[in-house]
Amino acid sequence: MLAALSVRADILLGPINNPNNGHDYYLLSPNTWTASEAEAEKLGGTLAIIKNADDDKWIFSTFASQARAGRILWIGLHRKNRGGPFEWVNGESTNSTYSNWCGDQPDNGGGVEEAVDIWTPHDGWNDARDEEQNYGVVELPRDMRKATLAKKESSLLGTWYQTGRADQPCYVTRTENRLFIVTSDGRGATLVGDATGVLVPLWNTHGEIVGDKILWSNGTWWSRKITNEASNDRGPARYYPF
């Protein structure tokens, strides 16, 4: 997963269900490709992975050309390495999947065009600089509105303590089909899991549930129990859960 960014994209539309594949889609406010993908992952999905012409046309008509909006749309295709081949955010290559490049594209203008958009009004794909401000199209792999959390995900609800410290509480709360972390550092709520049964990677960090702890891949951990009372002379608590 991509690292969290200080600038976030907001949801403008959605969820809208695509009848071709049953997936839910959102439209994000203009931002860079990287920031848009990071926001898509917070929502539990990715920027759109287009597998066929029907999905391509549906995305274009729903988010780009509807009411003559003329929006340029980020999709989940990019160069993972500068100057390298294009691949989808799920690792698939365009060599084995559907593609719809505009004429003379991709051209890698200036040698710095690493991300891909639907180049409205052309109704085709174009490679572009990551820092361009386009509308991100988010795809969720299933209709989350119809899913509910299983007992495993629901068991995470409640209060946790980073490295068992009483002065570093974190909280797991829920909607009907999603889990969120709320920390005490002002970050607000962040998606941590959903009804697919997967603990979502956060800020380039993965978590594993072991007994009454969550072990994070950066070496820190959360505990259900307080094992380290905070000292009163350490000053105000600082919260770095990941």
Side-chain angles (χ1 to χ4, degrees):
M1 288 293 197
L2 298 172
L5 302 177
S6 58
V7 178
R8 65 185 297 271
D10 295 317
I11 296 173
L12 299 180
L13 295 172
I16 300 175
N17 188 261
N18 179 355
N20 298 321
N21 59 20
H23 296 183
D24 278 352
Y25 291 76
Y26 294 85
L27 181 71
L28 303 179
S29 61
N31 213 317
T32 66
W33 187 94
T34 298
S36 299
E37 173 61 15
E39 194 66 26
E41 293 176 3
K42 284 186 180 180
L43 291 170
T46 66
L47 289 176
I49 298 172
I50 301 176
K51 294 185 176 295
N52 53 59
D54 288 340
D55 288 343
D56 200 11
K57 291 177 181 178
W58 183 86
I59 289 172
F60 180 78
S61 62
T62 302
F63 297 113
S65 63
Q66 189 178 56
R68 299 181 180 179
R71 303 183 183 103
I72 297 176
L73 307 173
W74 287 131
I75 59 176
L77 188 62
H78 69 142
R79 299 182 198 269
K80 189 173 182 179
N81 301 304
R82 174 155 291 190
F86 285 100
E87 63 180 72
W88 296 100
V89 288
N90 65 356
E92 289 186 283
S93 166
T94 54
N95 294 331
S96 58
T97 59
Y98 168 84
S99 63
N100 183 29
W101 295 104
C102 291
D104 300 323
Q105 299 297 328
D107 62 357
N108 196 19
V112 293
E113 294 187 332
E114 309 293 331
V116 177
D117 58 46
I118 296 179
W119 201 13
T120 308
H122 300 283
D123 190 14
W125 304 354
N126 167 65
D127 57 338
R129 294 176 293 112
D130 184 296
E131 59 265 28
E132 292 184 14
Q133 301 285 304
N134 296 328
Y135 295 82
V137 177
V138 179
E139 178 180 1
L140 269 65
R142 59 181 294 184
D143 186 352
M144 294 301 298
R145 295 170 300 175
K146 298 178 181 178
T148 56
L149 292 173
K151 290 183 178 179
K152 179 179 179 181
E153 289 74 53
S154 297
S155 69
L156 295 173
L157 297 174
T159 303
W160 297 79
Y161 300 92
Q162 183 187 349
T163 60
R165 287 187 47 150
D167 63 342
Q168 295 195 7
C170 304
Y171 310 94
V172 179
T173 186
R174 64 171 291 173
T175 62
E176 181 180 358
N177 51 31
R178 290 178 181 154
L179 290 175
F180 292 88
I181 279 176
V182 181
T183 58
S184 301
D185 61 355
R187 285 182 176 176
T190 302
L191 182 68
V192 69
D194 59 33
T196 63
V198 176
L199 192 63
V200 177
L202 295 174
W203 305 316
N204 205 32
T205 304
H206 297 254
E208 180 182 3
I209 302 169
V210 179
D212 64 350
K213 293 182 179 179
I214 300 177
L215 306 181
W216 299 101
S217 58
N218 66 357
T220 189
W221 50 273
W222 291 2
S223 174
R224 283 285 196 188
K225 300 177 182 179
I226 297 172
T227 59
N228 183 10
E229 293 287 350
S231 174
N232 293 330
D233 60 1
R234 300 184 68 170
R238 300 290 298 278
Y239 301 97
Y240 300 105
F242 301 98

PDB file of all heavy atoms in Angstrom, residues 28-65:
ATOM      1  N   LEU A  28     -13.453  10.595  -7.049  1.00  0.00           N
ATOM      2  CA  LEU A  28     -12.728  11.449  -6.117  1.00  0.00           C
ATOM      3  C   LEU A  28     -12.473  12.826  -6.709  1.00  0.00           C
ATOM      4  O   LEU A  28     -12.418  13.000  -7.929  1.00  0.00           O
ATOM      5  CB  LEU A  28     -11.376  10.809  -5.755  1.00  0.00           C
ATOM      6  CG  LEU A  28     -11.410   9.412  -5.146  1.00  0.00           C
ATOM      7  CD1 LEU A  28      -9.987   8.939  -4.886  1.00  0.00           C
ATOM      8  CD2 LEU A  28     -12.238   9.384  -3.866  1.00  0.00           C
ATOM      9  N   SER A  29     -12.288  13.803  -5.848  1.00  0.00           N
ATOM     10  CA  SER A  29     -11.936  15.152  -6.276  1.00  0.00           C
ATOM     11  C   SER A  29     -10.546  15.151  -6.913  1.00  0.00           C
ATOM     12  O   SER A  29      -9.744  14.242  -6.683  1.00  0.00           O
ATOM     13  CB  SER A  29     -11.973  16.107  -5.086  1.00  0.00           C
ATOM     14  OG  SER A  29     -11.043  15.707  -4.101  1.00  0.00           O
ATOM     15  N   PRO A  30     -10.218  16.155  -7.732  1.00  0.00           N
ATOM     16  CA  PRO A  30      -8.921  16.178  -8.428  1.00  0.00           C
ATOM     17  C   PRO A  30      -7.747  16.122  -7.465  1.00  0.00           C
ATOM     18  O   PRO A  30      -7.704  16.827  -6.460  1.00  0.00           O
ATOM     19  CB  PRO A  30      -8.962  17.513  -9.188  1.00  0.00           C
ATOM     20  CG  PRO A  30     -10.416  17.769  -9.408  1.00  0.00           C
ATOM     21  CD  PRO A  30     -11.086  17.273  -8.153  1.00  0.00           C
ATOM     22  N   ASN A  31      -6.796  15.263  -7.801  1.00  0.00           N
ATOM     23  CA  ASN A  31      -5.568  15.133  -7.019  1.00  0.00           C
ATOM     24  C   ASN A  31      -4.548  14.404  -7.869  1.00  0.00           C
ATOM     25  O   ASN A  31      -4.829  14.020  -9.010  1.00  0.00           O
ATOM     26  CB  ASN A  31      -5.832  14.385  -5.712  1.00  0.00           C
ATOM     27  CG  ASN A  31      -4.942  14.864  -4.579  1.00  0.00           C
ATOM     28  OD1 ASN A  31      -3.747  15.079  -4.762  1.00  0.00           O
ATOM     29  ND2 ASN A  31      -5.519  15.025  -3.396  1.00  0.00           N
ATOM     30  N   THR A  32      -3.342  14.204  -7.341  1.00  0.00           N
ATOM     31  CA  THR A  32      -2.336  13.452  -8.061  1.00  0.00           C
ATOM     32  C   THR A  32      -2.742  11.987  -8.158  1.00  0.00           C
ATOM     33  O   THR A  32      -3.611  11.522  -7.412  1.00  0.00           O
ATOM     34  CB  THR A  32      -0.971  13.538  -7.352  1.00  0.00           C
ATOM     35  OG1 THR A  32      -1.069  12.877  -6.085  1.00  0.00           O
ATOM     36  CG2 THR A  32      -0.555  15.002  -7.139  1.00  0.00           C
ATOM     37  N   TRP A  33      -2.068  11.251  -9.047  1.00  0.00           N
ATOM     38  CA  TRP A  33      -2.362   9.820  -9.157  1.00  0.00           C
ATOM     39  C   TRP A  33      -2.040   9.119  -7.839  1.00  0.00           C
ATOM     40  O   TRP A  33      -2.831   8.318  -7.344  1.00  0.00           O
ATOM     41  CB  TRP A  33      -1.561   9.193 -10.295  1.00  0.00           C
ATOM     42  CG  TRP A  33      -1.932   7.758 -10.563  1.00  0.00           C
ATOM     43  CD1 TRP A  33      -2.838   7.307 -11.473  1.00  0.00           C
ATOM     44  CD2 TRP A  33      -1.415   6.592  -9.894  1.00  0.00           C
ATOM     45  NE1 TRP A  33      -2.931   5.925 -11.409  1.00  0.00           N
ATOM     46  CE2 TRP A  33      -2.062   5.466 -10.451  1.00  0.00           C
ATOM     47  CE3 TRP A  33      -0.475   6.391  -8.883  1.00  0.00           C
ATOM     48  CZ2 TRP A  33      -1.796   4.155 -10.032  1.00  0.00           C
ATOM     49  CZ3 TRP A  33      -0.210   5.090  -8.456  1.00  0.00           C
ATOM     50  CH2 TRP A  33      -0.861   3.987  -9.032  1.00  0.00           C
ATOM     51  N   THR A  34      -0.886   9.424  -7.259  1.00  0.00           N
ATOM     52  CA  THR A  34      -0.463   8.760  -6.019  1.00  0.00           C
ATOM     53  C   THR A  34      -1.432   9.032  -4.878  1.00  0.00           C
ATOM     54  O   THR A  34      -1.814   8.128  -4.136  1.00  0.00           O
ATOM     55  CB  THR A  34       0.958   9.205  -5.625  1.00  0.00           C
ATOM     56  OG1 THR A  34       1.873   8.806  -6.652  1.00  0.00           O
ATOM     57  CG2 THR A  34       1.380   8.589  -4.305  1.00  0.00           C
ATOM     58  N   ALA A  35      -1.847  10.291  -4.711  1.00  0.00           N
ATOM     59  CA  ALA A  35      -2.782  10.631  -3.641  1.00  0.00           C
ATOM     60  C   ALA A  35      -4.135   9.973  -3.875  1.00  0.00           C
ATOM     61  O   ALA A  35      -4.796   9.522  -2.937  1.00  0.00           O
ATOM     62  CB  ALA A  35      -2.933  12.138  -3.529  1.00  0.00           C
ATOM     63  N   SER A  36      -4.559   9.900  -5.128  1.00  0.00           N
ATOM     64  CA  SER A  36      -5.841   9.271  -5.454  1.00  0.00           C
ATOM     65  C   SER A  36      -5.810   7.780  -5.159  1.00  0.00           C
ATOM     66  O   SER A  36      -6.771   7.222  -4.620  1.00  0.00           O
ATOM     67  CB  SER A  36      -6.186   9.522  -6.921  1.00  0.00           C
ATOM     68  OG  SER A  36      -6.306  10.901  -7.193  1.00  0.00           O
ATOM     69  N   GLU A  37      -4.706   7.112  -5.498  1.00  0.00           N
ATOM     70  CA  GLU A  37      -4.588   5.687  -5.199  1.00  0.00           C
ATOM     71  C   GLU A  37      -4.557   5.439  -3.695  1.00  0.00           C
ATOM     72  O   GLU A  37      -5.167   4.486  -3.195  1.00  0.00           O
ATOM     73  CB  GLU A  37      -3.335   5.111  -5.860  1.00  0.00           C
ATOM     74  CG  GLU A  37      -3.009   3.674  -5.484  1.00  0.00           C
ATOM     75  CD  GLU A  37      -4.078   2.660  -5.862  1.00  0.00           C
ATOM     76  OE1 GLU A  37      -4.982   2.987  -6.666  1.00  0.00           O
ATOM     77  OE2 GLU A  37      -4.014   1.529  -5.339  1.00  0.00           O
ATOM     78  N   ALA A  38      -3.863   6.302  -2.953  1.00  0.00           N
ATOM     79  CA  ALA A  38      -3.830   6.159  -1.494  1.00  0.00           C
ATOM     80  C   ALA A  38      -5.230   6.299  -0.907  1.00  0.00           C
ATOM     81  O   ALA A  38      -5.619   5.551   0.000  1.00  0.00           O
ATOM     82  CB  ALA A  38      -2.890   7.197  -0.887  1.00  0.00           C
ATOM     83  N   GLU A  39      -6.015   7.246  -1.415  1.00  0.00           N
ATOM     84  CA  GLU A  39      -7.378   7.419  -0.919  1.00  0.00           C
ATOM     85  C   GLU A  39      -8.250   6.232  -1.301  1.00  0.00           C
ATOM     86  O   GLU A  39      -9.103   5.784  -0.515  1.00  0.00           O
ATOM     87  CB  GLU A  39      -7.973   8.715  -1.479  1.00  0.00           C
ATOM     88  CG  GLU A  39      -9.231   9.183  -0.789  1.00  0.00           C
ATOM     89  CD  GLU A  39      -8.994   9.588   0.650  1.00  0.00           C
ATOM     90  OE1 GLU A  39      -7.853   9.978   1.001  1.00  0.00           O
ATOM     91  OE2 GLU A  39      -9.949   9.523   1.440  1.00  0.00           O
ATOM     92  N   ALA A  40      -8.045   5.697  -2.503  1.00  0.00           N
ATOM     93  CA  ALA A  40      -8.795   4.515  -2.930  1.00  0.00           C
ATOM     94  C   ALA A  40      -8.544   3.341  -1.992  1.00  0.00           C
ATOM     95  O   ALA A  40      -9.472   2.601  -1.635  1.00  0.00           O
ATOM     96  CB  ALA A  40      -8.402   4.142  -4.362  1.00  0.00           C
ATOM     97  N   GLU A  41      -7.302   3.168  -1.577  1.00  0.00           N
ATOM     98  CA  GLU A  41      -6.969   2.072  -0.678  1.00  0.00           C
ATOM     99  C   GLU A  41      -7.570   2.275   0.706  1.00  0.00           C
ATOM    100  O   GLU A  41      -7.952   1.314   1.370  1.00  0.00           O
ATOM    101  CB  GLU A  41      -5.451   1.905  -0.618  1.00  0.00           C
ATOM    102  CG  GLU A  41      -4.865   1.421  -1.941  1.00  0.00           C
ATOM    103  CD  GLU A  41      -3.359   1.342  -1.951  1.00  0.00           C
ATOM    104  OE1 GLU A  41      -2.741   1.617  -0.908  1.00  0.00           O
ATOM    105  OE2 GLU A  41      -2.794   0.989  -3.005  1.00  0.00           O
ATOM    106  N   LYS A  42      -7.661   3.528   1.162  1.00  0.00           N
ATOM    107  CA  LYS A  42      -8.333   3.797   2.436  1.00  0.00           C
ATOM    108  C   LYS A  42      -9.799   3.385   2.381  1.00  0.00           C
ATOM    109  O   LYS A  42     -10.387   2.971   3.382  1.00  0.00           O
ATOM    110  CB  LYS A  42      -8.234   5.277   2.785  1.00  0.00           C
ATOM    111  CG  LYS A  42      -6.873   5.723   3.296  1.00  0.00           C
ATOM    112  CD  LYS A  42      -6.948   7.165   3.739  1.00  0.00           C
ATOM    113  CE  LYS A  42      -5.623   7.673   4.258  1.00  0.00           C
ATOM    114  NZ  LYS A  42      -5.705   9.088   4.696  1.00  0.00           N
ATOM    115  N   LEU A  43     -10.403   3.508   1.201  1.00  0.00           N
ATOM    116  CA  LEU A  43     -11.807   3.139   1.036  1.00  0.00           C
ATOM    117  C   LEU A  43     -11.986   1.630   0.912  1.00  0.00           C
ATOM    118  O   LEU A  43     -13.110   1.126   0.907  1.00  0.00           O
ATOM    119  CB  LEU A  43     -12.398   3.818  -0.200  1.00  0.00           C
ATOM    120  CG  LEU A  43     -12.583   5.334  -0.111  1.00  0.00           C
ATOM    121  CD1 LEU A  43     -12.944   5.908  -1.475  1.00  0.00           C
ATOM    122  CD2 LEU A  43     -13.674   5.680   0.907  1.00  0.00           C
ATOM    123  N   GLY A  44     -10.869   0.890   0.818  1.00  0.00           N
ATOM    124  CA  GLY A  44     -10.942  -0.544   0.699  1.00  0.00           C
ATOM    125  C   GLY A  44     -10.848  -1.065  -0.716  1.00  0.00           C
ATOM    126  O   GLY A  44     -11.093  -2.249  -0.970  1.00  0.00           O
ATOM    127  N   GLY A  45     -10.487  -0.193  -1.678  1.00  0.00           N
ATOM    128  CA  GLY A  45     -10.357  -0.603  -3.065  1.00  0.00           C
ATOM    129  C   GLY A  45      -9.069  -0.112  -3.679  1.00  0.00           C
ATOM    130  O   GLY A  45      -8.065   0.059  -2.984  1.00  0.00           O
ATOM    131  N   THR A  46      -9.106   0.131  -4.981  1.00  0.00           N
ATOM    132  CA  THR A  46      -7.986   0.709  -5.715  1.00  0.00           C
ATOM    133  C   THR A  46      -8.558   1.622  -6.781  1.00  0.00           C
ATOM    134  O   THR A  46      -9.772   1.653  -7.004  1.00  0.00           O
ATOM    135  CB  THR A  46      -7.124  -0.370  -6.409  1.00  0.00           C
ATOM    136  OG1 THR A  46      -7.921  -1.010  -7.433  1.00  0.00           O
ATOM    137  CG2 THR A  46      -6.616  -1.408  -5.420  1.00  0.00           C
ATOM    138  N   LEU A  47      -7.697   2.367  -7.445  1.00  0.00           N
ATOM    139  CA  LEU A  47      -8.141   3.020  -8.667  1.00  0.00           C
ATOM    140  C   LEU A  47      -8.587   1.940  -9.647  1.00  0.00           C
ATOM    141  O   LEU A  47      -8.107   0.811  -9.619  1.00  0.00           O
ATOM    142  CB  LEU A  47      -7.023   3.872  -9.267  1.00  0.00           C
ATOM    143  CG  LEU A  47      -6.681   5.150  -8.492  1.00  0.00           C
ATOM    144  CD1 LEU A  47      -5.481   5.854  -9.128  1.00  0.00           C
ATOM    145  CD2 LEU A  47      -7.876   6.115  -8.433  1.00  0.00           C
ATOM    146  N   ALA A  48      -9.520   2.286 -10.527  1.00  0.00           N
ATOM    147  CA  ALA A  48     -10.231   1.311 -11.350  1.00  0.00           C
ATOM    148  C   ALA A  48      -9.295   0.455 -12.202  1.00  0.00           C
ATOM    149  O   ALA A  48      -8.386   0.972 -12.859  1.00  0.00           O
ATOM    150  CB  ALA A  48     -11.242   2.027 -12.238  1.00  0.00           C
ATOM    151  N   ILE A  49      -9.527  -0.848 -12.177  1.00  0.00           N
ATOM    152  CA  ILE A  49      -8.833  -1.808 -13.037  1.00  0.00           C
ATOM    153  C   ILE A  49      -9.800  -2.194 -14.143  1.00  0.00           C
ATOM    154  O   ILE A  49     -10.826  -2.833 -13.887  1.00  0.00           O
ATOM    155  CB  ILE A  49      -8.387  -3.037 -12.230  1.00  0.00           C
ATOM    156  CG1 ILE A  49      -7.398  -2.618 -11.135  1.00  0.00           C
ATOM    157  CG2 ILE A  49      -7.765  -4.085 -13.142  1.00  0.00           C
ATOM    158  CD1 ILE A  49      -7.058  -3.731 -10.166  1.00  0.00           C
ATOM    159  N   ILE A  50      -9.493  -1.804 -15.369  1.00  0.00           N
ATOM    160  CA  ILE A  50     -10.427  -1.971 -16.488  1.00  0.00           C
ATOM    161  C   ILE A  50     -10.085  -3.250 -17.240  1.00  0.00           C
ATOM    162  O   ILE A  50      -9.016  -3.369 -17.838  1.00  0.00           O
ATOM    163  CB  ILE A  50     -10.373  -0.750 -17.425  1.00  0.00           C
ATOM    164  CG1 ILE A  50     -10.719   0.519 -16.632  1.00  0.00           C
ATOM    165  CG2 ILE A  50     -11.323  -0.940 -18.593  1.00  0.00           C
ATOM    166  CD1 ILE A  50     -10.609   1.796 -17.427  1.00  0.00           C
ATOM    167  N   LYS A  51     -10.998  -4.208 -17.230  1.00  0.00           N
ATOM    168  CA  LYS A  51     -10.731  -5.529 -17.788  1.00  0.00           C
ATOM    169  C   LYS A  51     -11.313  -5.732 -19.181  1.00  0.00           C
ATOM    170  O   LYS A  51     -10.922  -6.678 -19.886  1.00  0.00           O
ATOM    171  CB  LYS A  51     -11.271  -6.606 -16.845  1.00  0.00           C
ATOM    172  CG  LYS A  51     -10.553  -6.660 -15.499  1.00  0.00           C
ATOM    173  CD  LYS A  51     -11.044  -7.806 -14.656  1.00  0.00           C
ATOM    174  CE  LYS A  51     -10.273  -7.921 -13.351  1.00  0.00           C
ATOM    175  NZ  LYS A  51      -8.849  -8.249 -13.565  1.00  0.00           N
ATOM    176  N   ASN A  52     -12.254  -4.882 -19.589  1.00  0.00           N
ATOM    177  CA  ASN A  52     -12.882  -5.081 -20.897  1.00  0.00           C
ATOM    178  C   ASN A  52     -13.510  -3.785 -21.387  1.00  0.00           C
ATOM    179  O   ASN A  52     -13.594  -2.795 -20.643  1.00  0.00           O
ATOM    180  CB  ASN A  52     -13.928  -6.206 -20.832  1.00  0.00           C
ATOM    181  CG  ASN A  52     -14.945  -5.983 -19.720  1.00  0.00           C
ATOM    182  OD1 ASN A  52     -15.641  -4.971 -19.692  1.00  0.00           O
ATOM    183  ND2 ASN A  52     -15.007  -6.933 -18.778  1.00  0.00           N
ATOM    184  N   ALA A  53     -13.978  -3.805 -22.626  1.00  0.00           N
ATOM    185  CA  ALA A  53     -14.528  -2.604 -23.251  1.00  0.00           C
ATOM    186  C   ALA A  53     -15.812  -2.140 -22.573  1.00  0.00           C
ATOM    187  O   ALA A  53     -16.076  -0.931 -22.487  1.00  0.00           O
ATOM    188  CB  ALA A  53     -14.776  -2.860 -24.736  1.00  0.00           C
ATOM    189  N   ASP A  54     -16.609  -3.081 -22.071  1.00  0.00           N
ATOM    190  CA  ASP A  54     -17.864  -2.699 -21.418  1.00  0.00           C
ATOM    191  C   ASP A  54     -17.597  -1.871 -20.159  1.00  0.00           C
ATOM    192  O   ASP A  54     -18.257  -0.850 -19.922  1.00  0.00           O
ATOM    193  CB  ASP A  54     -18.681  -3.938 -21.059  1.00  0.00           C
ATOM    194  CG  ASP A  54     -19.297  -4.610 -22.277  1.00  0.00           C
ATOM    195  OD1 ASP A  54     -19.419  -3.932 -23.323  1.00  0.00           O
ATOM    196  OD2 ASP A  54     -19.632  -5.798 -22.188  1.00  0.00           O
ATOM    197  N   ASP A  55     -16.642  -2.321 -19.335  1.00  0.00           N
ATOM    198  CA  ASP A  55     -16.306  -1.560 -18.128  1.00  0.00           C
ATOM    199  C   ASP A  55     -15.703  -0.198 -18.492  1.00  0.00           C
ATOM    200  O   ASP A  55     -15.977   0.800 -17.830  1.00  0.00           O
ATOM    201  CB  ASP A  55     -15.318  -2.349 -17.266  1.00  0.00           C
ATOM    202  CG  ASP A  55     -15.976  -3.537 -16.580  1.00  0.00           C
ATOM    203  OD1 ASP A  55     -17.213  -3.579 -16.507  1.00  0.00           O
ATOM    204  OD2 ASP A  55     -15.230  -4.428 -16.124  1.00  0.00           O
ATOM    205  N   ASP A  56     -14.879  -0.168 -19.532  1.00  0.00           N
ATOM    206  CA  ASP A  56     -14.265   1.082 -19.983  1.00  0.00           C
ATOM    207  C   ASP A  56     -15.336   2.089 -20.386  1.00  0.00           C
ATOM    208  O   ASP A  56     -15.313   3.257 -19.973  1.00  0.00           O
ATOM    209  CB  ASP A  56     -13.341   0.787 -21.164  1.00  0.00           C
ATOM    210  CG  ASP A  56     -12.321   1.883 -21.394  1.00  0.00           C
ATOM    211  OD1 ASP A  56     -12.168   2.769 -20.532  1.00  0.00           O
ATOM    212  OD2 ASP A  56     -11.662   1.853 -22.444  1.00  0.00           O
ATOM    213  N   LYS A  57     -16.293   1.648 -21.174  1.00  0.00           N
ATOM    214  CA  LYS A  57     -17.366   2.536 -21.636  1.00  0.00           C
ATOM    215  C   LYS A  57     -18.247   2.973 -20.467  1.00  0.00           C
ATOM    216  O   LYS A  57     -18.692   4.124 -20.417  1.00  0.00           O
ATOM    217  CB  LYS A  57     -18.205   1.827 -22.699  1.00  0.00           C
ATOM    218  CG  LYS A  57     -17.467   1.612 -24.013  1.00  0.00           C
ATOM    219  CD  LYS A  57     -18.328   0.846 -25.003  1.00  0.00           C
ATOM    220  CE  LYS A  57     -17.574   0.616 -26.308  1.00  0.00           C
ATOM    221  NZ  LYS A  57     -18.376  -0.183 -27.275  1.00  0.00           N
ATOM    222  N   TRP A  58     -18.501   2.055 -19.512  1.00  0.00           N
ATOM    223  CA  TRP A  58     -19.346   2.412 -18.369  1.00  0.00           C
ATOM    224  C   TRP A  58     -18.673   3.480 -17.516  1.00  0.00           C
ATOM    225  O   TRP A  58     -19.311   4.451 -17.097  1.00  0.00           O
ATOM    226  CB  TRP A  58     -19.636   1.170 -17.531  1.00  0.00           C
ATOM    227  CG  TRP A  58     -20.559   1.439 -16.377  1.00  0.00           C
ATOM    228  CD1 TRP A  58     -21.927   1.441 -16.398  1.00  0.00           C
ATOM    229  CD2 TRP A  58     -20.166   1.791 -15.044  1.00  0.00           C
ATOM    230  NE1 TRP A  58     -22.417   1.760 -15.150  1.00  0.00           N
ATOM    231  CE2 TRP A  58     -21.363   1.991 -14.303  1.00  0.00           C
ATOM    232  CE3 TRP A  58     -18.951   1.951 -14.413  1.00  0.00           C
ATOM    233  CZ2 TRP A  58     -21.354   2.337 -12.956  1.00  0.00           C
ATOM    234  CZ3 TRP A  58     -18.930   2.300 -13.071  1.00  0.00           C
ATOM    235  CH2 TRP A  58     -20.119   2.494 -12.349  1.00  0.00           C
ATOM    236  N   ILE A  59     -17.378   3.331 -17.245  1.00  0.00           N
ATOM    237  CA  ILE A  59     -16.650   4.320 -16.446  1.00  0.00           C
ATOM    238  C   ILE A  59     -16.650   5.672 -17.149  1.00  0.00           C
ATOM    239  O   ILE A  59     -16.893   6.716 -16.529  1.00  0.00           O
ATOM    240  CB  ILE A  59     -15.213   3.836 -16.181  1.00  0.00           C
ATOM    241  CG1 ILE A  59     -15.232   2.674 -15.186  1.00  0.00           C
ATOM    242  CG2 ILE A  59     -14.339   4.973 -15.632  1.00  0.00           C
ATOM    243  CD1 ILE A  59     -13.888   1.993 -15.011  1.00  0.00           C
ATOM    244  N   PHE A  60     -16.397   5.669 -18.457  1.00  0.00           N
ATOM    245  CA  PHE A  60     -16.362   6.923 -19.206  1.00  0.00           C
ATOM    246  C   PHE A  60     -17.718   7.612 -19.181  1.00  0.00           C
ATOM    247  O   PHE A  60     -17.817   8.811 -18.891  1.00  0.00           O
ATOM    248  CB  PHE A  60     -15.929   6.667 -20.652  1.00  0.00           C
ATOM    249  CG  PHE A  60     -15.869   7.900 -21.490  1.00  0.00           C
ATOM    250  CD1 PHE A  60     -14.800   8.770 -21.388  1.00  0.00           C
ATOM    251  CD2 PHE A  60     -16.890   8.204 -22.390  1.00  0.00           C
ATOM    252  CE1 PHE A  60     -14.736   9.923 -22.160  1.00  0.00           C
ATOM    253  CE2 PHE A  60     -16.843   9.348 -23.154  1.00  0.00           C
ATOM    254  CZ  PHE A  60     -15.765  10.205 -23.054  1.00  0.00           C
ATOM    255  N   SER A  61     -18.790   6.863 -19.451  1.00  0.00           N
ATOM    256  CA  SER A  61     -20.115   7.481 -19.519  1.00  0.00           C
ATOM    257  C   SER A  61     -20.631   7.890 -18.143  1.00  0.00           C
ATOM    258  O   SER A  61     -21.359   8.876 -18.008  1.00  0.00           O
ATOM    259  CB  SER A  61     -21.108   6.519 -20.177  1.00  0.00           C
ATOM    260  OG  SER A  61     -21.254   5.336 -19.411  1.00  0.00           O
ATOM    261  N   THR A  62     -20.237   7.174 -17.094  1.00  0.00           N
ATOM    262  CA  THR A  62     -20.726   7.461 -15.741  1.00  0.00           C
ATOM    263  C   THR A  62     -19.989   8.630 -15.102  1.00  0.00           C
ATOM    264  O   THR A  62     -20.613   9.474 -14.440  1.00  0.00           O
ATOM    265  CB  THR A  62     -20.583   6.216 -14.845  1.00  0.00           C
ATOM    266  OG1 THR A  62     -21.302   5.130 -15.417  1.00  0.00           O
ATOM    267  CG2 THR A  62     -21.113   6.499 -13.439  1.00  0.00           C
ATOM    268  N   PHE A  63     -18.685   8.721 -15.306  1.00  0.00           N
ATOM    269  CA  PHE A  63     -17.891   9.694 -14.559  1.00  0.00           C
ATOM    270  C   PHE A  63     -17.245  10.790 -15.415  1.00  0.00           C
ATOM    271  O   PHE A  63     -16.937  11.866 -14.896  1.00  0.00           O
ATOM    272  CB  PHE A  63     -16.784   8.975 -13.784  1.00  0.00           C
ATOM    273  CG  PHE A  63     -17.291   8.032 -12.756  1.00  0.00           C
ATOM    274  CD1 PHE A  63     -17.106   6.663 -12.890  1.00  0.00           C
ATOM    275  CD2 PHE A  63     -17.976   8.489 -11.630  1.00  0.00           C
ATOM    276  CE1 PHE A  63     -17.576   5.776 -11.935  1.00  0.00           C
ATOM    277  CE2 PHE A  63     -18.450   7.622 -10.668  1.00  0.00           C
ATOM    278  CZ  PHE A  63     -18.251   6.256 -10.823  1.00  0.00           C
ATOM    279  N   ALA A  64     -17.032  10.551 -16.685  1.00  0.00           N
ATOM    280  CA  ALA A  64     -16.313  11.533 -17.511  1.00  0.00           C
ATOM    281  C   ALA A  64     -17.235  12.394 -18.342  1.00  0.00           C
ATOM    282  O   ALA A  64     -17.122  13.621 -18.355  1.00  0.00           O
ATOM    283  CB  ALA A  64     -15.310  10.825 -18.418  1.00  0.00           C
ATOM    284  N   SER A  65     -18.167  11.761 -19.046  1.00  0.00           N
ATOM    285  CA  SER A  65     -18.956  12.498 -20.028  1.00  0.00           C
ATOM    286  C   SER A  65     -20.371  12.812 -19.582  1.00  0.00           C
ATOM    287  O   SER A  65     -21.088  13.555 -20.260  1.00  0.00           O
ATOM    288  CB  SER A  65     -19.015  11.695 -21.343  1.00  0.00           C
ATOM    289  OG  SER A  65     -19.667  10.453 -21.145  1.00  0.00           O
TER     290      SER A  65
END
